[in-house]
Amino acid sequence: MKEIIKIENLSKFFELHNLGKYIKACQNISFTLHEGEFIGITGKSGSGKSTILKCIYRTYLPKGGCIWYRSKLYGVINLAKASDRQIIHLRKKEIGYVSQFLNVMPRTTAREIVQKAVLDIGYDIDYAKEEAENMLSHFELDQELWDTYPNTFSGGEKLRLNIASAMVKKPRLLLLDEPTASLDNESKKLVKVLLEKLKAKGTSMIGIFHDLEFMEGVCDREFNMKTGNFTV
Amino acid sequence: MYDKEQPILTIKNLRKQFGKGCTICRDLDDKNIQKNFCPVCQTVYACRDVSFELYPAEILGVVGESGSGKSTLMKCLYFDQDVTSGEAYIQGYKNGNANIFAETSQQKKYIRNHLFGMVYQNPYLGLRMNFSSVGNIAEKLIGAGSRNVGFMTGRAQELLGNVNIPIYRMKEAPKNFSGGMQQRVQIAKALSNNPPILLLDEVTTGLDLSVQANVLDLIKKIQRDLKISMLVVSHDLSVIRMLADRTIVMLNGKIIEQGLTDQILEDPQHPYTQQLVHSLL
């Protein structure tokens, strides 16, 4: 299997100028993700798990090391040094990110949110509508909610919408930052089914889950932040 | 396609100073000028070596404190003010090879009427308050070369309808409108000549939250439907978070940081940007 992500000595610290402090988030992290593989990252709170995902997604600027990504758009590219425009295109077409929090445009309906993700890739509106409905149905989001704003949704509904909008793009690389943290067991099962489907279609994934039982079923390998090693 | 993406607007080393400068402030390296004002000769350095690129269908946010040079930058681009030095190139104008700041006033008028749309913070700057709303749009269309009254009236009604101005108020002068309506008429006027670039200078400042929301939704809709590139100046980080793909941060006339909007807001690098983000309520 080809490597899709190769992280070499990734380091990230935050320089807080007004306090004159450096906060170390992660240091010398190295691992490789193969195409179609699912890696789970484990470690205690504050160990830098989310930092790794945010560095890959470039919400954080890495301070050292390389994140080599084998993209369709640009070939092999170092995400740590890629231009902002390259990152924008990669986010639209190839890399998805799901966090615990739904961060969307206000006054946008659930249907529009999912549709927009498909339109961004370049598909037409009819296909986007169809895909959005399929995805909202899959996550059993009540049909009455499709044309309402998510600020009235429960935590679980917001999360399901969040995951739906990331997964509808069928990204090549999906980053999952504790997406099941506040879901009930039924919703977790739905997420798991979809993750398995995406994996079967070749999507590579890196995920952080507190629910180790959930991880055991879907992850190929676990990366332990404390030891810096993998367990299978 | 993505490797060879060309910017629609390229700004290189734009400088704008008010005053002639003196030997003391002129000899100082820009990095050493802590303020954009020389206490000896009273020269204000409003924009200093501002360089950036705007890409097709992109919304680029510009943030910074009051007096950081954001609005001056917009006014220079719209030729409301002459630049002291610098270059700007537009992809759709002479194949992107002509520095628009060095063009004749006639050419500048053409660029302003065909390639840019501008929405000012103060509607009094962008609208003729005694003309009707339709008349305001017709004025812009006449500037762009249109002479057909029927076409201009139809276009004005279409645009005003798109920004939700009721049909029975279209012939009313904007001075009778609320702040939000005036901004919407300004947006309609700015869009009347189908410009590839829209300049928005603090368009939601001073509006109440629900009106602000209407205007922001309208801007987002325009960007989505018309794929126009936009330069959005705001000191409201929530507006920038909502609208912009990339953001530049200005301080004392200089760009101190630029990057992806989420990166600027979650991992700011410059001390001022950190202070700005930490001030967010």
Side-chain angles (χ1 to χ4, degrees):
Chain A
M1 272 194 298
K2 276 185 186 173
E3 294 161 350
I4 188 165
I5 281 270
K6 187 175 185 182
I7 296 178
E8 292 175 341
N9 301 316
L10 175 70
S11 299
K12 173 67 189 168
F13 58 84
F14 296 94
E15 186 179 3
L16 301 177
H17 293 278
N18 57 341
L19 300 174
K21 281 184 178 176
Y22 285 90
I23 295 173
K24 193 177 78 181
C26 65
Q27 204 165 18
N28 294 328
I29 301 291
S30 300
F31 65 82
T32 303
L33 174 75
H34 296 98
E35 278 184 1
E37 192 182 25
F38 194 149
I39 288 180
I41 304 178
T42 57
K44 60 181 183 181
S45 295
S47 60
K49 305 186 294 296
S50 295
T51 302
I52 295 175
L53 295 196
K54 287 189 176 183
C55 284
I56 296 172
Y57 200 61
R58 262 287 289 280
T59 301
Y60 289 166
L61 279 175
K63 290 289 179 188
C66 297
I67 304 168
W68 298 107
Y69 170 62
R70 188 184 299 277
S71 72
K72 278 195 169 169
L73 288 178
Y74 305 107
V76 177
I77 185 170
N78 182 4
L79 296 178
K81 302 279 181 200
S83 74
D84 295 335
R85 289 297 297 173
Q86 286 174 324
I87 295 290
I88 286 171
H89 288 306
L90 288 172
R91 284 180 181 184
K92 278 187 181 168
K93 307 260 179 185
E94 297 191 22
I95 305 176
Y97 183 90
V98 182
S99 74
Q100 296 177 56
F101 311 105
L102 182 66
N103 196 0
V104 292
M105 284 277 294
R107 301 172 302 283
T108 311
T109 65
R111 189 199 295 267
E112 285 168 344
I113 289 166
V114 184
Q115 258 175 222
K116 187 185 173 295
V118 186
L119 290 172
D120 278 348
I121 315 170
Y123 288 109
D124 60 52
I125 185 73
D126 292 333
Y127 180 77
K129 273 182 187 168
E130 193 186 320
E131 282 294 290
E133 287 178 8
N134 287 344
M135 197 52 77
L136 291 169
S137 304
H138 176 86
F139 278 100
E140 294 176 3
L141 199 69
D142 197 335
Q143 208 158 336
E144 282 181 1
L145 299 175
W146 291 8
D147 294 308
T148 56
Y149 302 146
N151 58 344
T152 57
F153 290 9
S154 71
E157 285 164 346
K158 276 184 186 172
L159 205 53
R160 277 185 276 159
L161 175 62
N162 200 7
I163 298 170
S165 65
M167 289 186 176
V168 74
K169 289 195 284 186
K170 302 185 180 73
R172 292 184 72 224
L173 173 66
L174 187 59
L175 307 169
L176 301 149
D177 191 356
E178 300 186 32
T180 55
S182 57
L183 288 185
D184 57 62
N185 282 335
E186 282 305 307
S187 302
K188 276 184 192 173
K189 276 181 197 164
L190 292 172
V191 175
K192 201 168 180 176
V193 168
L194 209 72
L195 288 179
E196 281 165 352
K197 269 190 194 171
L198 283 174
K199 202 176 154 208
K201 284 181 183 170
T203 303
S204 312
M205 290 179 259
I206 304 178
I208 301 168
F209 301 93
H210 275 309
D211 187 347
L212 294 177
E213 208 176 299
F214 183 92
M215 271 179 90
E216 273 174 24
V218 286
C219 294
D220 298 309
R221 290 186 294 160
E222 282 177 30
F223 182 79
N224 190 311
M225 289 296 291
K226 194 177 177 187
T227 61
N229 288 322
F230 279 102
T231 51
V232 180
Chain B
M1 173 191 171
Y2 294 99
D3 275 334
K4 292 171 186 165
E5 192 184 28
Q6 293 292 323
I8 192 163
L9 174 69
T10 307
I11 309 288
K12 290 181 183 171
N13 302 317
L14 185 152
R15 287 181 77 88
K16 174 66 186 170
Q17 66 186 61
F18 297 94
K20 289 182 179 174
C22 62
T23 48
I24 296 168
C25 65
R26 242 182 273 152
D27 292 343
L28 277 173
D29 179 50
D30 276 344
K31 284 177 188 167
N32 295 330
I33 304 175
Q34 294 301 309
K35 296 282 178 192
N36 56 348
F37 174 72
C38 175
V40 180
C41 65
Q42 317 288 307
T43 297
V44 177
Y45 292 87
C47 288
R48 295 186 286 169
D49 294 326
V50 171
S51 302
F52 64 86
E53 289 164 339
L54 176 70
Y55 287 86
E58 178 185 46
I59 300 185
L60 180 65
V62 184
V63 294
E65 62 187 9
S66 298
S68 59
K70 309 185 295 291
S71 292
T72 304
L73 169 67
M74 300 295 256
K75 285 174 185 166
C76 288
L77 281 175
Y78 200 56
F79 308 118
D80 281 340
Q81 286 173 352
D82 287 330
V83 295
T84 306
S85 64
E87 298 165 27
Y89 302 91
I90 301 176
Q91 203 183 46
Y93 181 70
K94 294 185 180 175
N95 293 324
N97 294 322
N99 174 15
I100 60 168
F101 294 142
E103 291 289 11
T104 61
S105 56
Q106 203 61 30
Q107 287 298 325
K108 284 180 179 173
K109 198 176 161 193
Y110 171 86
I111 294 166
R112 190 179 154 121
N113 282 328
H114 289 85
L115 302 175
F116 284 126
M118 173 79 165
V119 182
Y120 295 91
Q121 177 181 358
N122 182 355
Y124 279 76
L125 293 174
L127 296 174
R128 290 188 186 271
M129 288 297 172
N130 292 319
F131 282 22
S132 69
S133 304
V134 173
N136 265 285
I137 291 172
E139 186 205 12
K140 180 87 177 172
L141 289 169
I142 290 168
S146 188
R147 293 293 180 267
N148 184 323
V149 176
F151 164 77
M152 287 190 285
T153 310
R155 176 81 177 135
Q157 286 177 346
E158 178 198 344
L159 286 160
L160 290 168
N162 288 348
V163 297
N164 299 324
I165 301 292
I167 195 152
Y168 56 90
R169 299 199 69 180
M170 286 181 186
K171 290 189 177 165
E172 224 174 291
K175 66 179 178 187
N176 300 332
F177 290 174
S178 67
M181 282 175 83
Q182 287 176 346
Q183 283 306 49
R184 283 185 276 143
V185 175
Q186 264 211 98
I187 291 172
K189 184 177 180 179
L191 290 172
S192 58
N193 52 348
N194 290 321
I197 301 166
L198 196 58
L199 308 171
L200 302 160
D201 188 5
E202 303 269 16
V203 284
T204 56
T205 306
L207 301 178
D208 73 61
L209 281 177
S210 61
V211 181
Q212 216 179 79
N214 281 336
V215 173
L216 290 176
D217 286 348
L218 180 64
I219 293 168
K220 202 68 192 169
K221 183 176 176 293
I222 290 164
Q223 200 269 342
R224 193 177 60 228
D225 296 347
L226 305 178
K227 307 277 180 224
I228 292 179
S229 304
M230 297 186 192
L231 198 57
V232 180
V233 163
S234 181
H235 60 251
D236 185 343
L237 291 180
S238 312
V239 170
I240 294 297
R241 182 194 287 274
M242 190 173 142
L243 291 178
D245 305 307
R246 293 188 302 130
T247 297
I248 60 183
V249 186
M250 290 187 72
L251 178 69
N252 293 334
K254 287 182 78 81
I255 292 179
I256 52 162
E257 188 167 353
Q258 56 182 309
L260 297 161
T261 301
D262 59 335
Q263 180 260 304
I264 293 283
L265 295 174
E266 290 198 35
D267 187 20
Q269 306 294 305
H270 191 276
Y272 169 72
T273 319
Q274 288 189 358
Q275 194 187 333
L276 189 73
V277 171
H278 294 156
S279 308
L280 198 60
L281 292 175

